[in-house]
Amino acid sequence: MTEFNEQAASRICSHMNDDHAISVYGMVLANRSSPNEKGEVKDTKMTSITMNECTLSYVLCNKESSDLKTTAVKFDPPPQTVPEVRRRLIEIHHKVLAPNPYWLVTDPLSLAIIIISICLAYGTYAFGGKEGLSTAITNVQLVQNLITTIFGSADTFATLVVFFWKFTVIVHLLEASYVIYHSIKTLKLRLRSSLLWFYMVLCVGYPVA
């Protein structure tokens, strides 16, 4: 096994902190010193690296305090050469920045956005458009009374439903296109991860994590 000298280790840490800060941030989130930590993670840094592990520091901020913490990412199995360390860091980069589709239902805001989007889509297409939705509301007196009280008329409500559905589709598509561009060009993620990020942002409008 080839050991790092101090200069090589310092160079790798500087390179990760300067050019791959998002990877270091993802490594911290995936390897916090305590999985039950609550608060915002800031100022993530790779402070040292050996053939066995790399050490990361971060500041955990909450309402009461800001605490400096450290955590370690172990290389299993340990790499045998310095170039292999680089390959291992690339593997970790892809792992910690890969999206998890379960986040769409475990994150309350994402789940709420999905439910609202489904309701907008149903209101737009299930009744044949704005006129059909307005007619369907008018045919149910209790629903018509409720909608009229809140929105003024069934036509106004139907217009808003169709408008916000189209607005949601356009905005989410633009945001998803922006995310997949940077996933491929900036973060250099694999195609599968980039496409999955595109799909998730298309669903909720932001990169949920």
Side-chain angles (χ1 to χ4, degrees), residues 2-24 27 44-56 73 75 79-90 92-93:
T2 304
E3 287 294 341
F4 277 121
N5 59 47
E6 185 176 343
Q7 184 179 10
S10 177
R11 185 170 62 250
I12 290 177
C13 289
S14 297
H15 173 67
M16 292 297 295
N17 292 328
D18 294 340
D19 299 334
H20 301 285
I22 187 65
S23 300
V24 177
M27 291 165 69
T44 56
K45 300 286 184 183
M46 180 178 291
T47 56
S48 66
I49 187 168
T50 68
M51 285 299 198
N52 295 310
E53 64 181 21
C54 61
T55 304
L56 312 170
V73 179
F75 299 134
Q80 300 300 309
T81 64
V82 174
E84 190 178 345
V85 172
R86 179 180 178 276
R87 291 193 293 271
R88 195 67 60 83
L89 288 173
I90 292 174
I92 294 173
H93 162 84

Side-chain angles (χ1 to χ4, degrees), residues 177-202:
S177 300
Y178 177 83
V179 166
I180 194 173
Y181 172 82
H182 282 287
S183 295
I184 295 172
K185 295 294 185 181
T186 305
L187 300 179
K188 302 188 186 312
L189 297 181
R190 297 186 177 100
L191 181 60
R192 180 183 180 278
S193 293
S194 298
L195 290 174
L196 193 52
W197 273 123
F198 176 85
Y199 167 75
M200 291 173 64
V201 175
L202 187 63

Side-chain angles (χ1 to χ4, degrees), residues 11-199:
R11 185 170 62 250
I12 290 177
C13 289
S14 297
H15 173 67
M16 292 297 295
N17 292 328
D18 294 340
D19 299 334
H20 301 285
I22 187 65
S23 300
V24 177
Y25 180 78
M27 291 165 69
V28 167
L29 293 185
N31 298 274
R32 291 194 195 189
S33 55
S34 172
N36 297 320
E37 285 180 347
K38 292 184 179 180
E40 184 180 1
V41 172
K42 295 183 177 180
D43 298 330
T44 56
K45 300 286 184 183
M46 180 178 291
T47 56
S48 66
I49 187 168
T50 68
M51 285 299 198
N52 295 310
E53 64 181 21
C54 61
T55 304
L56 312 170
S57 69
Y58 60 100
V59 176
L60 184 67
C61 301
N62 50 48
K63 293 181 179 179
E64 290 76 26
S65 62
S66 296
D67 301 319
L68 180 63
K69 294 181 173 289
T70 60
T71 187
V73 179
K74 294 189 178 299
F75 299 134
D76 185 23
Q80 300 300 309
T81 64
V82 174
E84 190 178 345
V85 172
R86 179 180 178 276
R87 291 193 293 271
R88 195 67 60 83
L89 288 173
I90 292 174
E91 291 175 5
I92 294 173
H93 162 84
H94 287 293
K95 181 179 179 180
V96 299
L97 296 185
N100 185 343
Y102 287 107
W103 294 338
L104 292 175
V105 293
T106 57
D107 179 74
L109 178 58
S110 296
L111 183 59
I113 292 174
I114 290 173
I115 292 173
I116 292 171
S117 298
I118 291 173
C119 291
L120 291 174
Y122 181 80
T124 299
Y125 298 115
F127 303 98
K130 180 178 68 176
E131 291 77 11
L133 177 58
S134 179
T135 301
I137 293 171
T138 305
N139 290 337
V140 182
Q141 190 62 44
L142 181 61
V143 175
Q144 182 184 15
N145 292 340
L146 178 62
I147 294 297
T148 301
T149 300
I150 300 174
F151 295 95
S153 69
D155 284 341
T156 299
F157 176 75
T159 300
L160 289 173
V161 167
V162 173
F163 169 78
F164 280 112
W165 167 245
K166 293 179 178 178
F167 177 81
T168 298
V169 171
I170 293 171
V171 171
H172 285 197
L173 182 59
L174 290 174
E175 291 169 337
S177 300
Y178 177 83
V179 166
I180 194 173
Y181 172 82
H182 282 287
S183 295
I184 295 172
K185 295 294 185 181
T186 305
L187 300 179
K188 302 188 186 312
L189 297 181
R190 297 186 177 100
L191 181 60
R192 180 183 180 278
S193 293
S194 298
L195 290 174
L196 193 52
W197 273 123
F198 176 85
Y199 167 75

